[in-house]
Structure formats: structure tokens, C-alpha cells
Amino acid sequence: MGNRILSIEKKTDNRFLNMYDLHYENKVGKKKLYFIASRGADVEHLKISTKKNKPDGVIIYSIYGEKKDHMVLVRQYRLAIDDYIYELPAGLVDEGETYAQAGTRELKEETGLDFQPLEVDEMYHKPFFTTIGMTDESCATVYGYATGSVSRDGLEESEDLEVVLADRKEVERILREENVSMNCGYLMMHFLHHTDEDPFYFVKGTTNS
């Protein structure tokens, strides 16, 4: 016999993120209480209830420059650490949007850059869970090339971020010296050590093809 959820209680009523109490029975029959945060507006929209991994947001891995030698990053202030952290551009998926549409819109809003998304196999951009110990949030990853000029015109007043077009030397410095989000850090490591002409070789096929 495994763990079993008995009931769920919504504890907050915020626009973008809410807290829930999960009352459950563990595998040895003891009743316990667990806490999660979710972007689900109510119990019915939690992934616990829907049993569907519908992405809350997209993460955008984009390469910039004629030589494909710069990675698009944002250096953003985050209240949770009261400090700046390097991240990939990202944002929420609006109802009815595809991953590519959401990535194109969000990159434009955050950076002013235009985005040409790649078509990739579902296994490469299906939504993955971000911090499963605390939240049911999941995000899909979109890949592609960015062009144009950096602009801050699309930022909301609450967003405190700087767009960084980082070459490999700067990527290495950031990894050594700065706060970096986990998903961003792994892709920065990939970018740092892969110097072939096609930076997206790893999403161009599957092991079955």
C-alpha cells in the first residue's frame, strides 16, 4: 500500500501562485499534512486533480549572432533570494498558445528580440517539473535563434532584469561567479563545451531515427 491523498485545501487566493494543504495517509497508514505551491487557480486545476502535465510556462534556449556564438540570458532580481540571478528567458503559457507561440511572445516581451523556434521531437520540449518537492509547476523548453536588437520596452514595472548576450567566455565567468538557475546552468554548460556549427544538434533527432 502506498501513500494516499485524503483531501486538499486551498489556503491562499492570489493571481499567479497559491498554497495548498494536502492531507494524506502514508504507506504505513499514518495521517500526515503536506504543503505545495501551485499556479493552479483552484483544486480542480491542480495536476493532482487533472492528471495531465499541462505546462505552466516555457523556458527559452535561444542562440544569437551570425556565428551562433552567443547565448541569450537574463540577469533578473528575484525576491526569494533578494539578489540577482542568471536565467533563461521564460514566461507563462497563455490559454490556446503553442509552446513556440508562447516562447516567441515571451522573448519579445522580455528582451525585444525576435525568435525563430525550431521544430523538435516531443521528447525534447515536453513539459518537465521544475521543483517537484514544493510545487506541481512544469515548463516546456523551446529552442531557436534570436535576432534583432535588445529592448526593455516590453517589461512590466515589477520586472527588474537585464538582457545578456553571453559569449562562451562570459558564460564560463557566470558559471564560476554568479547565481544561476538550475535549468539555465545545465544548458550553459552544454553551450560552453559544444563548439560545432549547429548548437542544437542534440534536439535534431532521436535514438530511434
Side-chain angles (χ1 to χ4, degrees):
M1 181 179 177
N3 293 342
R4 181 168 64 95
I5 293 174
L6 303 174
S7 64
I8 305 171
E9 183 181 0
K10 184 179 179 182
K11 303 300 291 185
T12 61
D13 189 22
N14 299 312
R15 181 181 175 188
F16 293 114
L17 187 69
N18 284 290
M19 296 296 299
Y20 292 84
D21 285 357
L22 271 59
H23 300 269
Y24 74 102
E25 185 177 275
N26 70 12
K27 63 182 181 181
V28 295
K30 292 184 179 180
K31 290 182 171 58
K32 298 285 186 177
L33 179 62
Y34 196 78
F35 313 96
I36 67 165
S38 177
R39 296 193 183 278
D42 48 48
V43 173
E44 289 72 26
H45 287 88
L46 297 178
K47 293 182 176 70
I48 289 172
S49 302
T50 65
K51 302 301 181 183
K52 295 179 180 179
N53 186 8
K54 182 180 178 181
D56 301 284
V58 288
I59 298 165
I60 307 153
Y61 178 28
S62 55
I63 301 298
Y64 184 88
E66 291 184 6
K67 296 182 179 180
K68 303 175 183 176
D69 58 353
H70 288 71
M71 188 174 178
V72 181
L73 306 173
V74 293
R75 178 178 178 269
Q76 184 164 199
Y77 174 80
R78 291 295 193 180
L79 286 162
I81 57 173
D82 187 28
D83 204 349
Y84 288 87
I85 184 169
Y86 284 82
E87 304 174 64
L88 295 176
L92 300 180
V93 178
D94 289 343
E95 192 66 35
E97 280 188 321
T98 66
Y99 305 158
Q101 289 169 340
T104 300
R105 175 182 54 77
E106 285 291 346
L107 192 72
K108 189 69 172 180
E109 290 175 0
E110 284 199 355
T111 71
L113 299 173
D114 298 313
F115 186 55
Q116 292 84 45
L118 298 178
E119 291 187 14
V120 299
D121 189 279
E122 175 65 20
M123 67 180 283
Y124 297 116
H125 69 186
K126 75 175 188 178
F128 293 135
F129 291 98
T130 56
T131 314
I132 196 60
M134 297 188 293
T135 177
D136 67 351
E137 181 191 56
S138 65
C139 290
T141 305
V142 292
Y143 312 85
Y145 295 99
T147 58
S149 301
V150 171
S151 170
R152 300 172 58 88
D153 292 345
L155 294 178
E156 299 177 6
E157 66 174 29
S158 60
E159 292 180 299
D160 180 1
L161 66 81
E162 171 193 0
V163 181
V164 178
L165 304 177
D167 61 13
R168 286 182 172 83
K169 183 177 180 180
E170 178 64 1
V171 163
E172 181 173 1
R173 186 199 68 79
I174 292 168
L175 285 170
R176 291 183 183 279
E177 300 177 6
E178 305 286 354
N179 296 320
V180 182
S181 70
M182 181 177 287
N183 51 48
C184 181
Y186 284 140
L187 285 169
M188 289 172 72
M189 293 174 200
H190 182 281
F191 175 76
L192 180 63
H193 293 292
H194 180 73
T195 57
D196 289 354
E197 289 185 4
D198 186 357
F200 295 113
Y201 79 97
F202 66 103
V203 295
K204 293 297 181 67
T206 70
T207 55
N208 296 322
S209 58

PDB file of all heavy atoms in Angstrom, residues 119-150:
ATOM      1  N   GLU A 119      11.467  23.288 -34.859  1.00  0.00           N
ATOM      2  CA  GLU A 119      10.548  22.168 -34.684  1.00  0.00           C
ATOM      3  C   GLU A 119      11.366  20.969 -34.208  1.00  0.00           C
ATOM      4  O   GLU A 119      12.312  20.561 -34.866  1.00  0.00           O
ATOM      5  CB  GLU A 119       9.840  21.838 -35.994  1.00  0.00           C
ATOM      6  CG  GLU A 119       8.849  22.894 -36.437  1.00  0.00           C
ATOM      7  CD  GLU A 119       8.054  22.455 -37.651  1.00  0.00           C
ATOM      8  OE1 GLU A 119       8.084  21.244 -37.980  1.00  0.00           O
ATOM      9  OE2 GLU A 119       7.407  23.323 -38.272  1.00  0.00           O
ATOM     10  N   VAL A 120      10.995  20.439 -33.055  1.00  0.00           N
ATOM     11  CA  VAL A 120      11.755  19.326 -32.481  1.00  0.00           C
ATOM     12  C   VAL A 120      10.790  18.226 -32.052  1.00  0.00           C
ATOM     13  O   VAL A 120       9.591  18.446 -31.896  1.00  0.00           O
ATOM     14  CB  VAL A 120      12.595  19.779 -31.270  1.00  0.00           C
ATOM     15  CG1 VAL A 120      13.595  20.845 -31.675  1.00  0.00           C
ATOM     16  CG2 VAL A 120      11.714  20.285 -30.130  1.00  0.00           C
ATOM     17  N   ASP A 121      11.337  17.040 -31.861  1.00  0.00           N
ATOM     18  CA  ASP A 121      10.540  15.921 -31.379  1.00  0.00           C
ATOM     19  C   ASP A 121       9.962  16.243 -30.004  1.00  0.00           C
ATOM     20  O   ASP A 121      10.585  16.938 -29.194  1.00  0.00           O
ATOM     21  CB  ASP A 121      11.428  14.670 -31.300  1.00  0.00           C
ATOM     22  CG  ASP A 121      10.641  13.406 -31.013  1.00  0.00           C
ATOM     23  OD1 ASP A 121      10.325  13.169 -29.827  1.00  0.00           O
ATOM     24  OD2 ASP A 121      10.350  12.664 -31.964  1.00  0.00           O
ATOM     25  N   GLU A 122       8.783  15.706 -29.733  1.00  0.00           N
ATOM     26  CA  GLU A 122       8.086  15.986 -28.474  1.00  0.00           C
ATOM     27  C   GLU A 122       8.944  15.678 -27.251  1.00  0.00           C
ATOM     28  O   GLU A 122       8.845  16.361 -26.233  1.00  0.00           O
ATOM     29  CB  GLU A 122       6.791  15.166 -28.415  1.00  0.00           C
ATOM     30  CG  GLU A 122       6.014  15.273 -27.118  1.00  0.00           C
ATOM     31  CD  GLU A 122       5.456  16.661 -26.849  1.00  0.00           C
ATOM     32  OE1 GLU A 122       5.335  17.454 -27.805  1.00  0.00           O
ATOM     33  OE2 GLU A 122       5.137  16.942 -25.682  1.00  0.00           O
ATOM     34  N   MET A 123       9.806  14.683 -27.336  1.00  0.00           N
ATOM     35  CA  MET A 123      10.605  14.308 -26.164  1.00  0.00           C
ATOM     36  C   MET A 123      11.540  15.424 -25.712  1.00  0.00           C
ATOM     37  O   MET A 123      11.958  15.460 -24.555  1.00  0.00           O
ATOM     38  CB  MET A 123      11.425  13.048 -26.463  1.00  0.00           C
ATOM     39  CG  MET A 123      12.509  13.232 -27.514  1.00  0.00           C
ATOM     40  SD  MET A 123      13.458  11.715 -27.835  1.00  0.00           S
ATOM     41  CE  MET A 123      14.527  11.675 -26.420  1.00  0.00           C
ATOM     42  N   TYR A 124      11.862  16.359 -26.617  1.00  0.00           N
ATOM     43  CA  TYR A 124      12.794  17.424 -26.275  1.00  0.00           C
ATOM     44  C   TYR A 124      12.128  18.657 -25.689  1.00  0.00           C
ATOM     45  O   TYR A 124      12.794  19.476 -25.052  1.00  0.00           O
ATOM     46  CB  TYR A 124      13.606  17.823 -27.509  1.00  0.00           C
ATOM     47  CG  TYR A 124      14.461  16.710 -28.035  1.00  0.00           C
ATOM     48  CD1 TYR A 124      14.231  16.184 -29.300  1.00  0.00           C
ATOM     49  CD2 TYR A 124      15.492  16.180 -27.282  1.00  0.00           C
ATOM     50  CE1 TYR A 124      15.020  15.152 -29.804  1.00  0.00           C
ATOM     51  CE2 TYR A 124      16.280  15.146 -27.762  1.00  0.00           C
ATOM     52  CZ  TYR A 124      16.037  14.640 -29.020  1.00  0.00           C
ATOM     53  OH  TYR A 124      16.809  13.617 -29.500  1.00  0.00           O
ATOM     54  N   HIS A 125      10.848  18.847 -25.950  1.00  0.00           N
ATOM     55  CA  HIS A 125      10.223  20.037 -25.370  1.00  0.00           C
ATOM     56  C   HIS A 125       8.964  19.740 -24.570  1.00  0.00           C
ATOM     57  O   HIS A 125       8.222  20.653 -24.218  1.00  0.00           O
ATOM     58  CB  HIS A 125       9.966  21.114 -26.429  1.00  0.00           C
ATOM     59  CG  HIS A 125       8.893  20.783 -27.430  1.00  0.00           C
ATOM     60  ND1 HIS A 125       8.641  21.595 -28.504  1.00  0.00           N
ATOM     61  CD2 HIS A 125       8.000  19.772 -27.521  1.00  0.00           C
ATOM     62  CE1 HIS A 125       7.658  21.082 -29.220  1.00  0.00           C
ATOM     63  NE2 HIS A 125       7.252  19.990 -28.640  1.00  0.00           N
ATOM     64  N   LYS A 126       8.735  18.476 -24.258  1.00  0.00           N
ATOM     65  CA  LYS A 126       7.589  18.171 -23.400  1.00  0.00           C
ATOM     66  C   LYS A 126       7.831  18.808 -22.021  1.00  0.00           C
ATOM     67  O   LYS A 126       8.985  19.018 -21.619  1.00  0.00           O
ATOM     68  CB  LYS A 126       7.382  16.675 -23.272  1.00  0.00           C
ATOM     69  CG  LYS A 126       8.378  15.960 -22.381  1.00  0.00           C
ATOM     70  CD  LYS A 126       8.009  14.485 -22.235  1.00  0.00           C
ATOM     71  CE  LYS A 126       8.878  13.813 -21.188  1.00  0.00           C
ATOM     72  NZ  LYS A 126       8.516  12.395 -21.002  1.00  0.00           N
ATOM     73  N   PRO A 127       6.781  19.141 -21.297  1.00  0.00           N
ATOM     74  CA  PRO A 127       6.974  19.817 -20.007  1.00  0.00           C
ATOM     75  C   PRO A 127       7.616  18.918 -18.958  1.00  0.00           C
ATOM     76  O   PRO A 127       7.216  17.767 -18.776  1.00  0.00           O
ATOM     77  CB  PRO A 127       5.543  20.207 -19.603  1.00  0.00           C
ATOM     78  CG  PRO A 127       4.648  19.310 -20.395  1.00  0.00           C
ATOM     79  CD  PRO A 127       5.361  19.021 -21.663  1.00  0.00           C
ATOM     80  N   PHE A 128       8.619  19.476 -18.291  1.00  0.00           N
ATOM     81  CA  PHE A 128       9.264  18.816 -17.162  1.00  0.00           C
ATOM     82  C   PHE A 128       8.941  19.590 -15.884  1.00  0.00           C
ATOM     83  O   PHE A 128       8.782  20.819 -15.908  1.00  0.00           O
ATOM     84  CB  PHE A 128      10.782  18.771 -17.357  1.00  0.00           C
ATOM     85  CG  PHE A 128      11.235  17.897 -18.489  1.00  0.00           C
ATOM     86  CD1 PHE A 128      12.199  18.344 -19.378  1.00  0.00           C
ATOM     87  CD2 PHE A 128      10.714  16.631 -18.662  1.00  0.00           C
ATOM     88  CE1 PHE A 128      12.630  17.542 -20.426  1.00  0.00           C
ATOM     89  CE2 PHE A 128      11.135  15.813 -19.704  1.00  0.00           C
ATOM     90  CZ  PHE A 128      12.097  16.276 -20.587  1.00  0.00           C
ATOM     91  N   PHE A 129       8.881  18.877 -14.777  1.00  0.00           N
ATOM     92  CA  PHE A 129       8.578  19.513 -13.496  1.00  0.00           C
ATOM     93  C   PHE A 129       9.803  20.271 -12.980  1.00  0.00           C
ATOM     94  O   PHE A 129      10.937  19.807 -13.116  1.00  0.00           O
ATOM     95  CB  PHE A 129       8.113  18.471 -12.486  1.00  0.00           C
ATOM     96  CG  PHE A 129       6.765  17.895 -12.823  1.00  0.00           C
ATOM     97  CD1 PHE A 129       6.657  16.682 -13.474  1.00  0.00           C
ATOM     98  CD2 PHE A 129       5.610  18.603 -12.530  1.00  0.00           C
ATOM     99  CE1 PHE A 129       5.419  16.154 -13.809  1.00  0.00           C
ATOM    100  CE2 PHE A 129       4.371  18.090 -12.869  1.00  0.00           C
ATOM    101  CZ  PHE A 129       4.270  16.861 -13.508  1.00  0.00           C
ATOM    102  N   THR A 130       9.567  21.444 -12.388  1.00  0.00           N
ATOM    103  CA  THR A 130      10.663  22.328 -12.004  1.00  0.00           C
ATOM    104  C   THR A 130      11.224  22.000 -10.625  1.00  0.00           C
ATOM    105  O   THR A 130      12.421  21.764 -10.478  1.00  0.00           O
ATOM    106  CB  THR A 130      10.207  23.790 -12.055  1.00  0.00           C
ATOM    107  OG1 THR A 130       9.052  23.957 -11.217  1.00  0.00           O
ATOM    108  CG2 THR A 130       9.850  24.192 -13.481  1.00  0.00           C
ATOM    109  N   THR A 131      10.388  22.009  -9.593  1.00  0.00           N
ATOM    110  CA  THR A 131      10.840  21.760  -8.223  1.00  0.00           C
ATOM    111  C   THR A 131       9.773  20.914  -7.551  1.00  0.00           C
ATOM    112  O   THR A 131       8.972  21.399  -6.748  1.00  0.00           O
ATOM    113  CB  THR A 131      11.048  23.078  -7.454  1.00  0.00           C
ATOM    114  OG1 THR A 131      11.778  23.988  -8.267  1.00  0.00           O
ATOM    115  CG2 THR A 131      11.815  22.865  -6.157  1.00  0.00           C
ATOM    116  N   ILE A 132       9.749  19.625  -7.864  1.00  0.00           N
ATOM    117  CA  ILE A 132       8.614  18.776  -7.534  1.00  0.00           C
ATOM    118  C   ILE A 132       8.406  18.594  -6.037  1.00  0.00           C
ATOM    119  O   ILE A 132       7.312  18.256  -5.590  1.00  0.00           O
ATOM    120  CB  ILE A 132       8.758  17.412  -8.247  1.00  0.00           C
ATOM    121  CG1 ILE A 132       7.428  16.645  -8.266  1.00  0.00           C
ATOM    122  CG2 ILE A 132       9.888  16.602  -7.624  1.00  0.00           C
ATOM    123  CD1 ILE A 132       6.308  17.361  -8.959  1.00  0.00           C
ATOM    124  N   GLY A 133       9.424  18.851  -5.229  1.00  0.00           N
ATOM    125  CA  GLY A 133       9.245  18.754  -3.783  1.00  0.00           C
ATOM    126  C   GLY A 133       8.372  19.846  -3.208  1.00  0.00           C
ATOM    127  O   GLY A 133       7.862  19.705  -2.082  1.00  0.00           O
ATOM    128  N   MET A 134       8.187  20.944  -3.956  1.00  0.00           N
ATOM    129  CA  MET A 134       7.429  22.081  -3.435  1.00  0.00           C
ATOM    130  C   MET A 134       6.240  22.478  -4.290  1.00  0.00           C
ATOM    131  O   MET A 134       5.341  23.158  -3.811  1.00  0.00           O
ATOM    132  CB  MET A 134       8.342  23.298  -3.294  1.00  0.00           C
ATOM    133  CG  MET A 134       9.472  23.125  -2.300  1.00  0.00           C
ATOM    134  SD  MET A 134      10.368  24.672  -2.026  1.00  0.00           S
ATOM    135  CE  MET A 134      11.138  24.902  -3.634  1.00  0.00           C
ATOM    136  N   THR A 135       6.238  22.095  -5.566  1.00  0.00           N
ATOM    137  CA  THR A 135       5.219  22.614  -6.468  1.00  0.00           C
ATOM    138  C   THR A 135       4.936  21.628  -7.591  1.00  0.00           C
ATOM    139  O   THR A 135       5.787  20.792  -7.936  1.00  0.00           O
ATOM    140  CB  THR A 135       5.670  23.960  -7.073  1.00  0.00           C
ATOM    141  OG1 THR A 135       4.704  24.413  -8.011  1.00  0.00           O
ATOM    142  CG2 THR A 135       7.013  23.819  -7.778  1.00  0.00           C
ATOM    143  N   ASP A 136       3.727  21.738  -8.178  1.00  0.00           N
ATOM    144  CA  ASP A 136       3.402  20.920  -9.354  1.00  0.00           C
ATOM    145  C   ASP A 136       3.699  21.666 -10.651  1.00  0.00           C
ATOM    146  O   ASP A 136       3.332  21.210 -11.736  1.00  0.00           O
ATOM    147  CB  ASP A 136       1.932  20.463  -9.319  1.00  0.00           C
ATOM    148  CG  ASP A 136       0.949  21.619  -9.485  1.00  0.00           C
ATOM    149  OD1 ASP A 136       1.363  22.804  -9.464  1.00  0.00           O
ATOM    150  OD2 ASP A 136      -0.262  21.344  -9.625  1.00  0.00           O
ATOM    151  N   GLU A 137       4.375  22.813 -10.570  1.00  0.00           N
ATOM    152  CA  GLU A 137       4.689  23.587 -11.762  1.00  0.00           C
ATOM    153  C   GLU A 137       5.545  22.776 -12.734  1.00  0.00           C
ATOM    154  O   GLU A 137       6.470  22.073 -12.337  1.00  0.00           O
ATOM    155  CB  GLU A 137       5.461  24.859 -11.395  1.00  0.00           C
ATOM    156  CG  GLU A 137       5.793  25.725 -12.619  1.00  0.00           C
ATOM    157  CD  GLU A 137       6.773  26.835 -12.312  1.00  0.00           C
ATOM    158  OE1 GLU A 137       7.878  26.524 -11.811  1.00  0.00           O
ATOM    159  OE2 GLU A 137       6.435  27.999 -12.561  1.00  0.00           O
ATOM    160  N   SER A 138       5.230  22.885 -14.024  1.00  0.00           N
ATOM    161  CA  SER A 138       6.060  22.293 -15.065  1.00  0.00           C
ATOM    162  C   SER A 138       6.233  23.303 -16.192  1.00  0.00           C
ATOM    163  O   SER A 138       5.378  24.168 -16.405  1.00  0.00           O
ATOM    164  CB  SER A 138       5.456  20.993 -15.595  1.00  0.00           C
ATOM    165  OG  SER A 138       4.232  21.236 -16.260  1.00  0.00           O
ATOM    166  N   CYS A 139       7.343  23.171 -16.905  1.00  0.00           N
ATOM    167  CA  CYS A 139       7.642  24.081 -18.009  1.00  0.00           C
ATOM    168  C   CYS A 139       8.147  23.292 -19.206  1.00  0.00           C
ATOM    169  O   CYS A 139       8.875  22.308 -19.055  1.00  0.00           O
ATOM    170  CB  CYS A 139       8.702  25.104 -17.600  1.00  0.00           C
ATOM    171  SG  CYS A 139       8.142  26.333 -16.409  1.00  0.00           S
ATOM    172  N   ALA A 140       7.756  23.739 -20.385  1.00  0.00           N
ATOM    173  CA  ALA A 140       8.290  23.198 -21.634  1.00  0.00           C
ATOM    174  C   ALA A 140       9.473  24.058 -22.058  1.00  0.00           C
ATOM    175  O   ALA A 140       9.543  25.245 -21.732  1.00  0.00           O
ATOM    176  CB  ALA A 140       7.212  23.209 -22.711  1.00  0.00           C
ATOM    177  N   THR A 141      10.401  23.457 -22.792  1.00  0.00           N
ATOM    178  CA  THR A 141      11.548  24.188 -23.311  1.00  0.00           C
ATOM    179  C   THR A 141      11.395  24.359 -24.814  1.00  0.00           C
ATOM    180  O   THR A 141      11.051  23.408 -25.521  1.00  0.00           O
ATOM    181  CB  THR A 141      12.860  23.444 -23.008  1.00  0.00           C
ATOM    182  OG1 THR A 141      12.957  23.206 -21.599  1.00  0.00           O
ATOM    183  CG2 THR A 141      14.060  24.257 -23.461  1.00  0.00           C
ATOM    184  N   VAL A 142      11.632  25.580 -25.290  1.00  0.00           N
ATOM    185  CA  VAL A 142      11.647  25.832 -26.725  1.00  0.00           C
ATOM    186  C   VAL A 142      13.049  26.272 -27.118  1.00  0.00           C
ATOM    187  O   VAL A 142      13.766  26.907 -26.338  1.00  0.00           O
ATOM    188  CB  VAL A 142      10.599  26.889 -27.140  1.00  0.00           C
ATOM    189  CG1 VAL A 142       9.202  26.347 -26.957  1.00  0.00           C
ATOM    190  CG2 VAL A 142      10.761  28.184 -26.361  1.00  0.00           C
ATOM    191  N   TYR A 143      13.444  25.921 -28.336  1.00  0.00           N
ATOM    192  CA  TYR A 143      14.797  26.142 -28.818  1.00  0.00           C
ATOM    193  C   TYR A 143      14.736  26.939 -30.120  1.00  0.00           C
ATOM    194  O   TYR A 143      13.816  26.761 -30.923  1.00  0.00           O
ATOM    195  CB  TYR A 143      15.498  24.815 -29.101  1.00  0.00           C
ATOM    196  CG  TYR A 143      15.388  23.801 -28.003  1.00  0.00           C
ATOM    197  CD1 TYR A 143      14.269  22.969 -27.914  1.00  0.00           C
ATOM    198  CD2 TYR A 143      16.396  23.647 -27.057  1.00  0.00           C
ATOM    199  CE1 TYR A 143      14.161  22.027 -26.906  1.00  0.00           C
ATOM    200  CE2 TYR A 143      16.294  22.712 -26.044  1.00  0.00           C
ATOM    201  CZ  TYR A 143      15.169  21.897 -25.973  1.00  0.00           C
ATOM    202  OH  TYR A 143      15.066  20.960 -24.964  1.00  0.00           O
ATOM    203  N   GLY A 144      15.709  27.801 -30.329  1.00  0.00           N
ATOM    204  CA  GLY A 144      15.725  28.526 -31.586  1.00  0.00           C
ATOM    205  C   GLY A 144      16.741  29.644 -31.601  1.00  0.00           C
ATOM    206  O   GLY A 144      17.582  29.771 -30.697  1.00  0.00           O
ATOM    207  N   TYR A 145      16.625  30.465 -32.635  1.00  0.00           N
ATOM    208  CA  TYR A 145      17.571  31.557 -32.857  1.00  0.00           C
ATOM    209  C   TYR A 145      16.901  32.905 -32.633  1.00  0.00           C
ATOM    210  O   TYR A 145      15.746  33.108 -33.004  1.00  0.00           O
ATOM    211  CB  TYR A 145      18.119  31.477 -34.278  1.00  0.00           C
ATOM    212  CG  TYR A 145      18.933  30.227 -34.516  1.00  0.00           C
ATOM    213  CD1 TYR A 145      18.376  29.125 -35.136  1.00  0.00           C
ATOM    214  CD2 TYR A 145      20.262  30.155 -34.082  1.00  0.00           C
ATOM    215  CE1 TYR A 145      19.123  27.964 -35.344  1.00  0.00           C
ATOM    216  CE2 TYR A 145      21.009  29.007 -34.291  1.00  0.00           C
ATOM    217  CZ  TYR A 145      20.434  27.921 -34.913  1.00  0.00           C
ATOM    218  OH  TYR A 145      21.174  26.773 -35.109  1.00  0.00           O
ATOM    219  N   ALA A 146      17.645  33.807 -32.010  1.00  0.00           N
ATOM    220  CA  ALA A 146      17.155  35.155 -31.731  1.00  0.00           C
ATOM    221  C   ALA A 146      17.864  36.154 -32.644  1.00  0.00           C
ATOM    222  O   ALA A 146      19.069  36.038 -32.889  1.00  0.00           O
ATOM    223  CB  ALA A 146      17.395  35.517 -30.276  1.00  0.00           C
ATOM    224  N   THR A 147      17.105  37.118 -33.111  1.00  0.00           N
ATOM    225  CA  THR A 147      17.670  38.182 -33.945  1.00  0.00           C
ATOM    226  C   THR A 147      17.097  39.514 -33.491  1.00  0.00           C
ATOM    227  O   THR A 147      16.148  39.578 -32.706  1.00  0.00           O
ATOM    228  CB  THR A 147      17.329  37.963 -35.436  1.00  0.00           C
ATOM    229  OG1 THR A 147      15.898  37.916 -35.584  1.00  0.00           O
ATOM    230  CG2 THR A 147      17.936  36.681 -35.959  1.00  0.00           C
ATOM    231  N   GLY A 148      17.656  40.599 -34.033  1.00  0.00           N
ATOM    232  CA  GLY A 148      17.150  41.929 -33.724  1.00  0.00           C
ATOM    233  C   GLY A 148      17.975  42.630 -32.674  1.00  0.00           C
ATOM    234  O   GLY A 148      19.122  42.258 -32.379  1.00  0.00           O
ATOM    235  N   SER A 149      17.376  43.649 -32.074  1.00  0.00           N
ATOM    236  CA  SER A 149      18.056  44.487 -31.083  1.00  0.00           C
ATOM    237  C   SER A 149      17.389  44.357 -29.726  1.00  0.00           C
ATOM    238  O   SER A 149      16.162  44.263 -29.625  1.00  0.00           O
ATOM    239  CB  SER A 149      18.026  45.958 -31.524  1.00  0.00           C
ATOM    240  OG  SER A 149      18.654  46.116 -32.775  1.00  0.00           O
ATOM    241  N   VAL A 150      18.201  44.375 -28.692  1.00  0.00           N
ATOM    242  CA  VAL A 150      17.690  44.293 -27.320  1.00  0.00           C
ATOM    243  C   VAL A 150      16.890  45.539 -26.977  1.00  0.00           C
ATOM    244  O   VAL A 150      17.288  46.666 -27.297  1.00  0.00           O
ATOM    245  CB  VAL A 150      18.854  44.113 -26.326  1.00  0.00           C
ATOM    246  CG1 VAL A 150      18.379  44.254 -24.893  1.00  0.00           C
ATOM    247  CG2 VAL A 150      19.540  42.770 -26.545  1.00  0.00           C
TER     248      VAL A 150
END
